[in-house]
């Protein structure tokens, strides 16, 4: 174990070594059972006598923090109580005001019946194939340089993504239009960095995707919610001063409705008149269960007003952190520069593996295979809800994505459902403003088909407990 010890002055050096080692043990940096360097070795490293180090070790041993084992060395003892490094006193340093109330969320529990939204089934991921592709990408012949890579992403992946979205979604893009990101959230962050000045108005759907709202607000935007009806975002309600409009037209989050053709044309015409930019988040449209897919806004846009954002978090795994944006020519250079300043570039191995995954037809095959299973779950959930939740919850028609939405007359208490082992997203927990609606989203990315009926039965009981009609 290489331990950093800093000595200053000519005072009691043994006491300084003792104090720093003690802090390391109490803070948990030195864990029980770890071996300390021999006293002679540490003395040479610190340019002190061996006896100075021995005095510090002996004191820690006498106090029960260390133990010496003949022929083996000196080790940290098991201590039942340690202090957290965060508990140490420090000066009060406050972040900027807009960052003080933004929560840093992390995964918590895995419910027995998991209807939470936004996560695909890990069991459907082609693990063996992915390991083969990653291993191939780690070969010396694949890694051409040890230098920093292109901030826009590996060209082979950008070419593959351009072909993929061109075929699968009719997006008009070449490799130079594509910037690879660490998921859709970083793509939105890049958009905000290059397009939003503090005080600019950003229009978002209401109800809508909360992380996007928070991100634009964190960049200093004045975020304005715009209502959604059965055709999508209400263009007539957009603020005239909006610089950016963020929308999820293929599968509105969280309601699931698609934006109509007429509403798409109306939105693009509005953006052209106002000089605004439309950010199209096409987050899970690969999975369709009925109806033909509508043309994305990007392919209907003839004036370079749309930034198209996509992700592989829903088709593959969120843990891979692979997404992309298709930038119109006017902002392409700025987006690439922002990516370089943000974190220079993404991890190369995963990008090379994904390029092969797409080029070998494996992504299309995986989407078809996973789509069949998700389609089974989608159909079962719709069937059970329509049969057993009549008068309690009404499904909003949806033909794509990994969740459906059900409206209810009263608010849903997700905590009550959690107590019965059911993970479900109430609308109030998904959005900052609900637009006067109540309900819940039912994800089918992780719920097993055979668990759907029992999970929904438990959820129906929970709705009764929260005041929904019997």
């Amino acid at each position: 174990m290489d331990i950093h010890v800093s000595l200053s002055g000519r005072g009691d050096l043994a006491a300084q070594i003792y104090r720093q080692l003690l802090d390391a043990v109490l803070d948990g940096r030195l864990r029980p059972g770890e071996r300390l360097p021999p006293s002679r070795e540490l003395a040479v490293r610190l340019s002190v006598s061996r006896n100075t180090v021995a005095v510090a070790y002996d004191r820690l041993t006498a106090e029960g923090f260390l133990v010496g084992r003949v022929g083996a060395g000196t080790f940290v003892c098991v201590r039942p109580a340690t202090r957290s490094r965060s508990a140490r006193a420090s000066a009060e340093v406050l972040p900027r005001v807009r960052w003080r109330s933004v929560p840093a969320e992390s995964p918590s529990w895995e419910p027995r019946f998991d209807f939470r939204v936004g996560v695909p089934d890990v069991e459907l991921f082609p693990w063996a194939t992915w390991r083969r592709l990653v291993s191939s990408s780690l070969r010396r012949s694949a890694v051409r340089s040890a230098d920093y890579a292109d901030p826009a992403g590996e060209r082979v992946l950008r070419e593959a993504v351009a072909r993929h979205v061109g075929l699968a979604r009719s997006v008009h893009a070449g490799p130079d239009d594509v910037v690879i990101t660490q998921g859709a959230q970083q793509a939105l962050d890049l958009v905000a960095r290059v397009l939003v000045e503090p005080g600019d108005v950003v229009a978002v759907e209401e109800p809508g995707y909360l992380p996007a709202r928070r991100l634009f607000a964190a960049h200093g935007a004045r975020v304005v919610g715009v209502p959604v009806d059965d055709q999508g975002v209400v263009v007539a309600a957009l603020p005239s001063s909006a610089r950016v409009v963020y929308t999820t037209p293929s599968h509105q989050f969280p309601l699931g409705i698609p934006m109509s053709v007429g509403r798409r044309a109306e939105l693009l015409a509005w953006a052209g008149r106002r000089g605004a930019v439309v950010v199209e988040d096409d987050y899970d449209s690969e999975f369709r269960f009925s109806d033909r897919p509508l043309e994305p806004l990007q392919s209907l846009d003839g004036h370079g007003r749309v930034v198209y954002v996509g992700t592989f978090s829903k088709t593959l795994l969120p843990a891979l952190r692979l997404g992309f944006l298709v930038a119109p020519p006017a902002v392409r250079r700025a987006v690439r520069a922002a990516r370089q300043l943000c974190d220079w570039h993404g991890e190369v191995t995963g990008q090379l593996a994904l390029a092969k995954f797409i080029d070998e037809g494996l992504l299309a095959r995986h989407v078809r295979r996973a789509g069949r299973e998700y389609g089974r779950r989608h159909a079962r959930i719709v069937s059970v809800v329509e049969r057993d939740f009549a008068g309690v919850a009404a499904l909003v028609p949806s033909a794509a994505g990994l969740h459906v939405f059900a409206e209810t007359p009263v608010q849903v208490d997700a905590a009550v459902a959690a107590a019965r082992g059911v993970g479900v997203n109430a609308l109030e927990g998904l959005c900052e403003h609900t637009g006067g609606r109540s309900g819940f989203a039912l994800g089918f990315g992780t719920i097993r088909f055979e668990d759907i009926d029992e999970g929904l039965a438990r959820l129906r009981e929970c709705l009764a407990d929260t005041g929904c009609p019997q």
Side-chain angles (χ1 to χ4, degrees), residues 191-253:
V191 169
R193 287 175 185 270
V194 304
L195 291 178
V196 178
E197 296 281 0
D200 280 353
V201 173
V202 173
V204 300
E205 296 165 333
E206 189 172 281
Y209 186 50
L210 184 56
R213 171 188 279 269
R214 287 175 173 169
L215 186 143
F216 287 119
H219 279 279
R222 185 160 65 88
V223 180
V224 177
V226 180
V228 175
D229 63 16
D230 59 357
Q231 295 188 63
V233 66
V234 179
V235 176
L238 288 170
S240 60
S241 58
R243 164 73 168 153
V244 172
V245 179
Y246 170 79
T247 181
T248 53
S250 295
H251 185 232
Q252 199 277 335
F253 187 90

Side-chain angles (χ1 to χ4, degrees), residues 183-185 187-188 191 279-283 307-311 324-326:
Q185 196 69 10
L188 297 179
V191 169
V279 179
E280 178 179 17
D281 189 346
D282 207 16
Y283 64 100
V307 178
Y308 181 89
V309 173
T311 180
F324 63 93
L325 64 82
V326 177

